[in-house]
Structures are given as C-alpha cells and as structure tokens.
Amino acid sequence: MTQISRRNILLGSAAAGAGLALTACTSNDPASNAQVKTDTSGNANAAAGQKVIIGFSAPAADHGWIAAITNNAKAQAKQYSDVELRTVEAGTDAAAQRAALSTLIAQKPNVIVMLPYDGKELNAAGLEAMQAGIPVVNLDRAFPSAAAYRLQIKGDNYGMGLAAGKYIGDQLKAKGVSNPIIGEIPGIDSLELTQERTKGFNDALAVYGFKVANRRPAEFTADSGQAAATALLQALPKMDALWNHDDDQGIGVLAAIKQANRSEFFMVGGAGSKSAIDGIAKDDTVLKATVTYSPSMASSAISLARLIGQGKGMSDLVELQVPKEITLASETITKDNASKYAPLGF
C-alpha cells in the first residue's frame, strides 16, 4: 500500500467538502451514457464563480471502470456553469497519452485532471504541466513524484484486500470453519495495484490464521476471468471462499462457476460494478459481497479541480486550500446495504 505522508481523507469527507450528493449511476457497458453526477445546489462552494477551464485525459475506454471514469468527469463538469471541460484523446498506451497531454498543456487550461495510462511513465507529463504553472489532479494511478501533482485522489488497493479478507474471515469464523480452503482470482499479476490488493488480502486473512490455497490471475476481462476460474475450480475440488479482484472479470468467473455446477463456497468481488451489486441484492449466486473501488472518484476530481482553479478550499475543512492527497475508503457491499450503494455502480 502506498504510504501517504500527508492527510488522507475518506470519500465521505471529500464529497461533503466539495458539495457532492450522488444522484445517478453508471453502467457496466463501456458504451453506456449513464454516469455518476452530483447535485451541486445548497452548498456555498457550488455558487458560480471565476471560470475554470479543466483539461481532462484518461486512457481509451477498454474496460467498464475506465469508461465510467470519463463519463463521470463529463457529467460532473456539466453541473457547473463556471466550468469548461476540454478532453483529449489519450489513446491506448502511455506514448499516445503523452502526446495528447503535450497538446493539452499548450492550450494552458487552468487545471488538468489526469488518469494516466501508467503513473510512472506519465510522471514527466505531470511535472511538465506543474512547471508550466498548471495544477494537476492526479486521478487514481499515482505519479511517483509529489512534484508532479497538486492533488492526488485515488482508491485504496491495499484496503480492498483488507476489506475482502476481513469479510471472508468473519464469515468463515461465524460458520465455525477452522481450516478453510480459500481461492483467489487477481487481475494482472505484474501490476502494482494487483500486488497491493493481494498483500492486503493475505494480511487480513493472517489475522484469522487463514491463507490462500490457490490463486489464478486473470486480466480484468470476462473471458480471462472465466479461464482463470475454470483452472482454479479444477485445482480445488472443494472450496470455502473465493475472492475475485475485479467485477468485470467476475462476469466470466460466475459463468465458469455456473458451468461447473459449484455452489459449496461463497465469493467476494471487487470494484462495485452495477451487475455485481444487482446480483448481490438478488442473492441467487455464490456472489455475496464486493469491495468498492468506485469510479465516482472522477466526479470528485472535477469538483476539486474547480475549487483549486478558483483558489478555494473544502467547506468542511478549516484549511483554505484543497488537501494534497485523498485516499478513498474501500467499503464492503452486501445484501444488507446493496440498495444504498447502487447509485455508485458502474
């Protein structure tokens, strides 16, 4: 887990300080026009002020979560009469996004909100913008240099693992299972975010004296999830619990489970897609919970970029400026609270 040397603020505080109240949801379909937007009425910071031109860049939407990031940013910008959003096509790799960002920097927007294809590879682009006097809001994939951003807002990958492990540990303990067989289907294993999620999961399970019996990585897609789950189910003829890191690949995981006619275990998902939340609410599969990594952070990023551009702070904080770093909490969605979290589904 990335260590935060400054103030970490959970989503609830960030949303309240920027004047955010969720009113809609996104879809698991990358082509969907649905999005999370916010009601900006009734908050002093929401009153029209100095015009702010916000540049926005995110990778091409090859995944439901990424599509929701862009949709949410656009929808949030429309809530403000004093915000002009300028988006650039970021392409499908770091080189393409770097070129697009150079064009955006030359346009001299007041603030840039950027979800980099890769934080390390795009760190120089963040530095270039900051050195040009353009504050950068680094969304999710972290730049290694604090000089490359004015604000970093991101999810908690380690916290996802902790939340998933705690839920599984609590459930197994309640059932009196002392030596459980636990499976894990991560995303791309070479990614730092996957490694952080797995570490959090292992650390949480260790509190209960549990450990993972077998893990098979997927690639954040339904097809790869189905292939990984098929292999895992063959390797573990009996299982007590399973954590799948990503709800998009979870579509394939659930398909493999259904095909294998397995139901002796329960499963926890990851991220909080609309299809996963709906399935948890219906309670008709092994999926009993998911831990959040919500693309609603893009809505908050736009609101906070606006405050930075206007030189304002967050209304619920004493400080006069927006904080340097914000880490969103990973929350556990179950049948009991699925309706509450449904608006955040993507």
Side-chain angles (χ1 to χ4, degrees), residues 5 11 37 76 80 90 92 116 138 141 143 151 153 184 186 190 192-193 198 247 286 290 320 333:
S5 57
L11 175 59
K37 57 186 178 179
Q76 188 63 20
Y80 300 109
T92 58
N138 176 201
R141 297 173 183 172
F143 294 139
L151 164 66
I153 178 170
E184 180 185 6
S190 61
E192 183 178 4
L193 67 89
T198 289
D247 288 333
V286 297
T290 190
L320 301 180
I333 301 174

Side-chain angles (χ1 to χ4, degrees), residues 164 167-168 171 240-255 257-258 262-291 332-336 338:
Y167 178 84
I168 286 175
Q171 294 297 308
D240 295 293
L242 168 65
W243 183 36
N244 163 60
H245 287 207
D246 179 78
D247 288 333
D248 275 356
Q249 73 185 25
I251 295 171
V253 172
L254 287 171
I257 292 169
K258 183 177 180 180
R262 296 279 294 273
S263 61
E264 80 281 1
F265 59 91
F266 66 92
M267 175 174 131
V268 176
S273 74
K274 186 176 187 303
S275 64
I277 296 172
D278 289 347
I280 290 166
K282 291 179 182 176
D283 196 21
D284 57 0
T285 71
V286 297
L287 181 62
K288 303 303 179 185
T290 190
V291 290
T332 304
I333 301 174
T334 66
K335 183 180 178 180
D336 293 338

Side-chain angles (χ1 to χ4, degrees), residues 20-335:
L20 307 183
L22 296 166
T23 62
C25 65
T26 63
S27 167
N28 200 44
D29 178 3
S32 172
N33 290 321
Q35 57 270 147
V36 172
K37 57 186 178 179
T38 64
D39 179 2
T40 59
S41 63
N43 181 277
N45 276 340
Q50 174 188 336
K51 181 178 179 180
V52 180
I53 299 173
I54 301 176
F56 178 81
S57 176
D62 58 354
H63 182 273
W65 190 89
I66 293 290
I69 283 285
T70 299
N71 287 341
N72 291 347
K74 291 178 178 179
Q76 188 63 20
K78 290 178 180 177
Q79 300 300 299
Y80 300 109
S81 61
D82 52 11
V83 168
E84 177 186 336
L85 188 69
R86 295 181 182 175
T87 62
V88 293
E89 296 295 330
T92 58
D93 57 34
Q97 189 174 23
R98 191 179 299 114
L101 284 165
S102 293
T103 300
L104 186 60
I105 291 168
Q107 296 176 10
K108 299 187 181 300
N110 300 111
V111 188
I112 289 177
V113 175
M114 184 194 322
L115 192 157
Y117 180 85
D118 180 278
K120 292 178 181 177
E121 291 190 55
L122 272 299
N123 187 74
L127 287 170
E128 180 185 353
M130 291 288 287
Q131 289 166 2
I134 305 170
V136 173
V137 176
N138 176 201
L139 184 57
D140 191 51
R141 297 173 183 172
F143 294 139
S145 171
Y149 58 86
R150 164 60 184 83
L151 164 66
Q152 185 180 87
I153 178 170
K154 61 189 181 69
D156 186 355
N157 288 295
Y158 180 82
M160 281 183 74
L162 284 178
K166 183 179 187 306
Y167 178 84
I168 286 175
D170 286 347
Q171 294 297 308
L172 293 173
K173 183 178 179 181
K175 294 178 179 180
V177 181
S178 59
N179 191 26
I181 299 171
I182 300 171
E184 180 185 6
I185 300 179
I188 299 171
D189 242 353
S190 61
L191 296 180
E192 183 178 4
L193 67 89
T194 298
Q195 295 162 13
E196 290 175 350
R197 291 177 184 184
T198 289
K199 186 177 189 307
F201 189 49
N202 289 336
D203 287 352
L205 292 179
V207 173
Y208 302 87
F210 301 157
K211 62 182 180 179
V212 173
N214 202 305
R215 68 193 299 276
R216 299 296 171 104
E219 298 176 356
F220 299 121
T221 64
D223 287 346
S224 66
Q226 185 167 5
T230 298
L232 182 69
L233 293 169
Q234 291 173 348
L236 297 176
K238 180 185 179 301
M239 190 160 46
D240 295 293
L242 168 65
W243 183 36
N244 163 60
H245 287 207
D246 179 78
D247 288 333
D248 275 356
Q249 73 185 25
I251 295 171
V253 172
L254 287 171
I257 292 169
K258 183 177 180 180
Q259 187 175 26
N261 196 28
R262 296 279 294 273
S263 61
E264 80 281 1
F265 59 91
F266 66 92
M267 175 174 131
V268 176
S273 74
K274 186 176 187 303
S275 64
I277 296 172
D278 289 347
I280 290 166
K282 291 179 182 176
D283 196 21
D284 57 0
T285 71
V286 297
L287 181 62
K288 303 303 179 185
T290 190
V291 290
T292 62
Y293 199 93
S294 177
S296 64
M297 66 178 74
S299 303
S300 296
I302 294 297
S303 291
L304 293 167
R306 173 179 171 270
L307 294 182
I308 290 171
Q310 294 178 340
K312 297 178 180 178
M314 294 165 64
S315 61
D316 284 353
L317 300 184
V318 174
E319 288 76 16
L320 301 180
Q321 297 293 322
V322 170
K324 174 74 171 179
E325 295 177 352
I326 295 174
T327 300
L328 310 185
S330 182
E331 302 167 64
T332 304
I333 301 174
T334 66
K335 183 180 178 180

